[in-house]
Amino acid sequence: MTTETAMDGGQREWLMRRNCSLTPRQALQVYLLLSGATLGIAAVFTWRGAWMVLAFALVETAAVGAALLHYARHALDRERIVLGGGWLLVERDDGNRRTVLRLEAHAVRVSLADERMRTLIRLETRACAVEVGRYLTPPARRLMAAELRRALSAGTRRWRAAGKTR
């Protein structure tokens, strides 16, 4: 999912996020409901003498908990690109890690390794490179790359005319 916003001062922003149906809080609520029901049923069987049901219920609850924990850690992952003031700011949140890169807009080259394949959008300068578009479909990546190219060239012309870049 991608969202583009035009901000004050000629800035443009693109936000790309995972398409998740549950927030981390909702995932916790689902887990508590499922494990409560599972352990309640297992307690009845244990009380009736089938103690092995409780062992399997604990293993199942732990496995579901691990899966939902992984899901919740990555449910809020996102990529944010801000273009303005001669800079291209790329922020990427992946689990607990946050990466922020500030690239000179006039020196950024936008490329897709293969327009038809499932490759990411590559933003590179002389100093570094970063890949974005993890949460976009291949056709949306092509559109995003073309849009970034247009915005960068228009922004670079505007900033050069204003004397803000070399």
Side-chain angles (χ1 to χ4, degrees):
M1 178 164 109
T2 181
T3 309
E4 182 191 350
T5 310
M7 301 170 72
D8 294 338
Q11 285 189 339
R12 291 180 73 183
E13 175 180 325
W14 294 269
L15 185 61
M16 296 160 280
R17 295 183 246 198
R18 286 184 182 272
N19 188 10
C20 293
S21 56
L22 294 176
T23 65
R25 179 172 290 171
Q26 290 170 332
L28 176 64
Q29 291 171 345
V30 166
Y31 174 70
L32 293 175
L33 182 68
L34 285 174
S35 58
T38 300
L39 294 175
I41 293 168
V44 170
F45 277 95
T46 301
W47 180 63
R48 296 292 218 148
W51 60 270
M52 283 299 288
V53 173
L54 180 62
F56 283 107
L58 290 173
V59 170
E60 175 192 354
T61 302
V64 170
L68 283 175
L69 178 63
H70 178 75
Y71 170 85
R73 286 177 56 107
H74 293 282
L76 301 177
D77 288 358
R78 70 184 183 112
E79 294 174 336
R80 179 175 172 247
I81 300 173
V82 179
L83 174 64
W87 296 97
L88 184 70
L89 183 72
V90 179
E91 297 176 355
R92 198 162 70 212
D93 294 327
D94 184 23
N96 290 338
R97 285 180 290 157
R98 181 177 198 147
T99 307
V100 178
L101 284 173
R102 189 172 172 173
L103 309 170
E104 294 182 52
H106 68 88
V108 174
R109 192 179 77 162
V110 180
S111 64
L112 280 168
D114 185 353
E115 297 283 333
R116 292 169 285 145
M117 299 297 288
R118 299 181 56 99
T119 58
L120 298 177
I121 300 167
R122 187 170 175 84
L123 305 173
E124 57 186 315
T125 64
R126 292 179 297 272
C128 65
V130 63
E131 291 183 333
V132 296
R134 284 172 177 70
Y135 312 120
L136 300 175
T137 61
R141 283 188 197 128
R142 287 191 298 275
L143 290 173
M144 177 74 179
E147 195 174 313
L148 275 171
R149 285 182 192 119
R150 277 193 306 273
L152 283 167
S153 65
T156 301
R157 283 193 304 268
R158 189 172 52 248
W159 294 313
R160 281 193 178 138
K164 292 185 178 179
T165 61
R166 296 176 239 173

